[in-house]
Amino acid sequence: SSGINAEWPLRPGDLKKNVYKNYGQFIQTSKEITYLEAEMYKLGHLLTEQKALISSLTDDNITSEKNEALDISITEDLSIAKICELVQGAGVLHDIPGRKMIHNGNLVELGEDERHIRLFLMNDCIMSAAPTKSAWMSEAYKMVDLLELKNVTVMDVQDQKLCFKVTQYPANMFLYRAETEQ
């Protein structure tokens, strides 16, 4: 306090000199504040997702809304061409030569709006698709997301049977619950 008072009152040019003198530190501090704000936003989003996950897992009234006409056997060997026929918007799957289907299955995407989806795991990507509601469409599903495997992490959700989390850096996170252990 006495150091501040000793320099008070400042001369007219002192404020300007002090701003220029500490400009680098000011910029660095601004960048750090921006980074921390982004991290806080991400944490807030993660907390919201976790809250939704917990509430959906504790809800005993979860119903299975399977449309049997659109159900594809999980054991059916699907080619990329067959997936493109079944999933609206999946034509981009042909763009990568050598892409192969590994596994597919029905899941429940957990979050604020819980929904049934079909997940297709390929050797280089994961595609999620939602059942279509229009009977006139030739495709049984509509593509929701297409994530490159090199950009995602998949983690088991501890203490929650058949649940896992798919995270795509930097901001996309998806929570899923499988209908069966397959």
Side-chain angles (χ1 to χ4, degrees), residues 42-144:
K42 287 179 194 176
L43 286 173
H45 181 70
L46 286 172
L47 287 173
T48 301
E49 291 292 326
Q50 291 295 326
K51 180 181 175 185
L53 171 66
I54 290 169
S55 68
S56 67
L57 290 174
T58 56
D59 183 11
D60 293 331
N61 299 323
I62 296 174
T63 59
S64 176
E65 300 172 2
K66 254 188 184 176
N67 185 344
E68 296 299 327
L70 300 179
D71 193 28
I72 306 165
S73 171
I74 292 173
T75 58
E76 181 180 343
D77 185 25
L78 292 175
S79 66
I80 299 299
K82 180 70 172 170
I83 294 170
C84 290
E85 289 175 20
L86 292 169
V87 181
Q88 177 186 1
V92 297
L93 295 178
H94 285 299
D95 294 346
I96 307 294
R99 182 172 277 161
K100 292 186 176 26
M101 177 63 147
I102 295 173
H103 191 71
N104 71 90
N106 294 319
L107 300 171
V108 176
E109 184 175 17
L110 304 173
E112 291 180 20
D113 296 324
E114 189 173 288
R115 65 179 171 172
H116 292 268
I117 63 153
R118 186 75 176 208
L119 201 69
F120 298 89
L121 174 62
M122 287 154 265
N123 60 335
D124 65 338
C125 64
I126 299 173
M127 179 180 69
S128 63
T132 58
K133 302 205 185 311
S134 301
W136 57 269
M137 295 180 75
S138 61
E139 294 95 350
Y141 295 91
K142 181 176 182 178
M143 184 170 70
V144 177

Side-chain angles (χ1 to χ4, degrees), residues 13-42:
D14 287 348
L15 181 60
K16 192 173 187 179
K17 287 179 187 177
N18 284 332
V19 168
Y20 285 122
K21 179 179 168 184
N22 297 312
Y23 184 74
Q25 187 177 3
F26 174 74
I27 295 299
Q28 182 63 30
T29 303
S30 294
K31 287 179 181 178
E32 289 175 9
I33 290 170
T34 302
Y35 172 77
L36 290 173
E37 285 176 337
E39 289 297 308
M40 292 299 292
Y41 175 78
K42 287 179 194 176

Side-chain angles (χ1 to χ4, degrees), residues 158-181:
Q158 294 180 348
D159 302 326
Q160 302 298 329
K161 189 174 182 180
L162 303 177
C163 290
F164 62 97
K165 174 172 64 170
V166 176
T167 306
Q168 180 186 31
Y169 185 79
N172 292 331
M173 183 182 72
F174 307 95
L175 297 169
Y176 297 111
R177 183 180 61 240
E179 294 178 351
T180 66
E181 289 189 7

